[in-house]
Amino acid sequence: MALLSLKNITVAYGKNIVLKNLNLEVEQGELISLLGPSGCGKTTTLRLVGGFIQAREGQFIFNGKDYTNIPVHKRNFGFVFQSYALFPHLTVFNNVAFGLKQRNVPEKEIKKKGNGYIRNR
Amino acid sequence: MKKNNGRLLTIFALFVYMFTLVPLVIITGAAFGSDDYLRFPPGGFSLKWVENIFRVEMFVRTFKISLEVAVIGTMLALIVGIPAAYALSRYDFSGKRFLQGVFLSPVLVPGIVFGFSLLNFLIIKYQMPVYTSLLIGHTVIIMPYIIRVISSALENFDYSIEEAALSLGAGKIKTFFIIVLPNIASGVIAAFILAFINSFNNVPVSIFLTGPGVSTLPIQMMSYVEYYFDPTIAALSVILMGMTIILMLIIEKTLGLNYFTK
């Protein structure tokens, strides 16, 4: 059983079908890269896994659980955006700590973990 | 030939400035004059007309009403307008263009037409109290300004920043409050001030929605001029002008006026 599997996924924006019957299986520890010309649906596939868009048809299974209808903020998936997407109104520390705060990690641990990633010069 | 054109343009521009600014100079001069009627140049300096504003009880009372309606109306328009602007700039749905048109229509429809239809609809048909109708009318007329300014603030804010917050575990509503709102705060302030000025200075809509006991300052000023022609009104105009200038300066200093021309 694969860790992540997309089954017969179809994604469309209005009448424009972007992904049609996509099937993909990824094993634990496997490194996957999607290649293709622009507009072929690489980003759409990633955004579907991230939960930013909904599939019109098909199923997304992760670790044996159906993730198809789980909203983004409950997926706990990391996602790197093309534009970095830093929070402009927050400090560097609060940018780093943002995810931990949302997960209700205790303040002390946030400080310790957050500071571990920042080096003061 | 080209040089000549330049001079012509300068003279033309000078005239335009004169037509807009000279009346203001005259009003300001008359406001601080000592004569009993509007005269320029004034015969002497006195602050008695400024003092007189506060002696006319209706001015004080309607100033409060105008202030109240402008603040509450703007708040209501923000509560409705921010989500509307968010939906219009972030989502694609059928009827979006139509809704955009509807939200902007109070600027396109002449104020006098809009005021008259509100009078028919709210006061005559539904027998609403005058004050409530006035508040509703003002909320509706300032909505377009709110939606326009907030939309342009949202357009300048990268959507993937919101998505990043979502992917890190913040819910939709929480993301809006802790990520989106702080980043469009300057737009919200600009929208507030612009809406406030528009509501406070409005005449065409207010004139239909005022009645016994409930009136706004501009309406009161108009009826005052009908009976008295002393410089009190000039003094009051100068104060209102000063208020507007200060608010505009605040916008200019905090965000720049180009916020409204986008």
Side-chain angles (χ1 to χ4, degrees):
Chain A
M1 183 71 192
L3 180 72
L4 180 155
S5 64
L6 299 173
K7 289 178 180 166
N8 294 316
I9 291 283
T10 298
V11 174
Y13 300 116
K15 277 184 182 155
N16 182 19
I17 293 170
V18 187
L19 294 177
K20 199 173 175 188
N21 282 329
L22 174 78
N23 284 287
L24 175 73
E25 304 239 303
V26 182
E27 301 291 341
Q28 172 97 49
E30 214 175 350
L31 192 67
I32 293 278
S33 74
L34 299 174
L35 288 181
S38 53
C40 75
K42 307 181 293 290
T43 310
T44 306
T45 310
L46 278 178
R47 289 173 62 79
L48 179 96
V49 172
F52 302 113
I53 47 171
Q54 294 291 313
R56 183 169 286 185
E57 277 165 48
Q59 238 188 342
F60 166 42
I61 309 285
F62 181 76
N63 213 0
K65 201 175 150 199
D66 188 351
Y67 267 65
T68 318
N69 293 316
I70 290 184
V72 194
H73 63 283
K74 291 195 175 139
R75 290 199 181 190
N76 205 8
F77 284 4
F79 201 96
V80 180
F81 293 87
Q82 252 165 18
S83 60
Y84 310 125
L86 294 168
F87 306 122
H89 63 302
L90 297 180
T91 58
V92 174
F93 177 82
N94 282 329
N95 262 285
V96 174
F98 188 86
L100 296 174
K101 276 193 184 145
Q102 300 316 314
R103 283 181 187 85
N104 296 321
V105 175
E107 196 71 32
K108 249 188 176 171
E109 207 175 322
I110 293 180
K111 267 210 171 122
K112 208 175 112 198
K113 272 194 173 165
N115 282 323
Y117 290 105
I118 305 170
R119 191 167 302 148
N120 275 319
R121 279 179 191 260
Chain B
M1 183 66 203
K2 209 178 175 194
K3 210 176 172 186
N4 213 354
N5 258 348
R7 185 175 298 161
L8 218 66
L9 196 66
T10 314
I11 293 169
F12 184 71
L14 249 155
F15 269 109
V16 171
Y17 276 119
M18 259 174 62
F19 273 113
T20 44
L21 294 177
V22 169
L24 301 185
V25 173
I26 291 176
I27 286 290
T28 314
F32 298 107
S34 55
D35 311 280
D36 287 348
Y37 52 92
L38 280 175
R39 202 177 93 166
F40 190 84
F45 179 81
S46 122
L47 284 173
K48 65 177 175 184
W49 299 115
V50 180
E51 264 171 61
N52 197 41
I53 300 170
F54 300 97
R55 269 195 223 114
V56 183
E57 189 247 347
M58 270 318 269
F59 282 156
V60 181
R61 210 165 81 198
T62 52
F63 179 82
K64 278 183 198 148
I65 293 178
S66 274
L67 202 67
E68 232 173 74
V69 167
V71 171
I72 300 173
T74 307
M75 289 294 189
L76 289 176
L78 278 174
I79 291 170
V80 181
I82 293 176
Y86 186 86
L88 286 173
S89 69
R90 290 292 191 254
Y91 298 106
D92 237 345
F93 48 90
S94 56
K96 180 173 160 175
R97 295 233 130 210
F98 172 75
L99 269 181
Q100 251 163 347
V102 169
F103 282 129
L104 292 181
S105 63
V107 216
L108 306 174
V109 177
I112 207 142
V113 174
F114 188 65
F116 181 64
S117 42
L118 279 182
L119 172 76
N120 270 321
F121 187 67
L122 297 177
I123 296 183
I124 297 174
K125 186 146 187 261
Y126 288 101
Q127 307 274 325
M128 278 194 184
V130 177
Y131 187 85
T132 317
S133 317
L134 184 66
L135 196 56
I136 293 175
H138 277 236
T139 307
V140 175
I141 51 166
I142 58 187
M143 194 82 83
Y145 299 99
I146 302 262
I147 291 183
R148 232 187 100 93
V149 176
I150 305 270
S151 292
S152 89
L154 280 168
E155 228 101 287
N156 291 325
F157 182 60
D158 188 1
Y159 185 46
S160 50
I161 295 173
E162 276 173 62
E163 291 187 324
L166 288 171
S167 78
L168 288 168
K172 269 246 134 183
I173 291 168
K174 195 173 180 192
T175 299
F176 180 80
F177 282 107
I178 64 173
I179 300 297
V180 181
L181 213 49
N183 281 297
I184 59 164
S186 54
V188 175
I189 295 169
F192 185 96
I193 294 177
L194 193 67
F196 181 89
I197 292 174
N198 263 290
S199 161
F200 200 88
N201 291 333
N202 183 277
V203 168
V205 174
S206 303
I207 204 157
F208 288 101
L209 302 174
T210 44
V214 183
S215 185
T216 67
L217 189 57
I219 303 296
Q220 198 55 42
M221 285 168 76
M222 269 174 61
S223 55
Y224 186 87
V225 172
E226 276 175 36
Y227 297 104
Y228 315 93
F229 201 64
D230 61 32
T232 311
I233 222 73
L236 188 50
S237 305
V238 170
I239 290 179
L240 291 183
M241 219 151 65
M243 249 177 65
T244 310
I245 290 172
I246 290 169
L247 284 178
M248 279 326 231
L249 279 179
I250 294 173
I251 301 186
E252 173 62 34
K253 281 270 178 279
T254 50
L255 332 140
L257 283 176
N258 55 2
Y259 230 98
F260 305 116
T261 50
K262 256 178 239 157

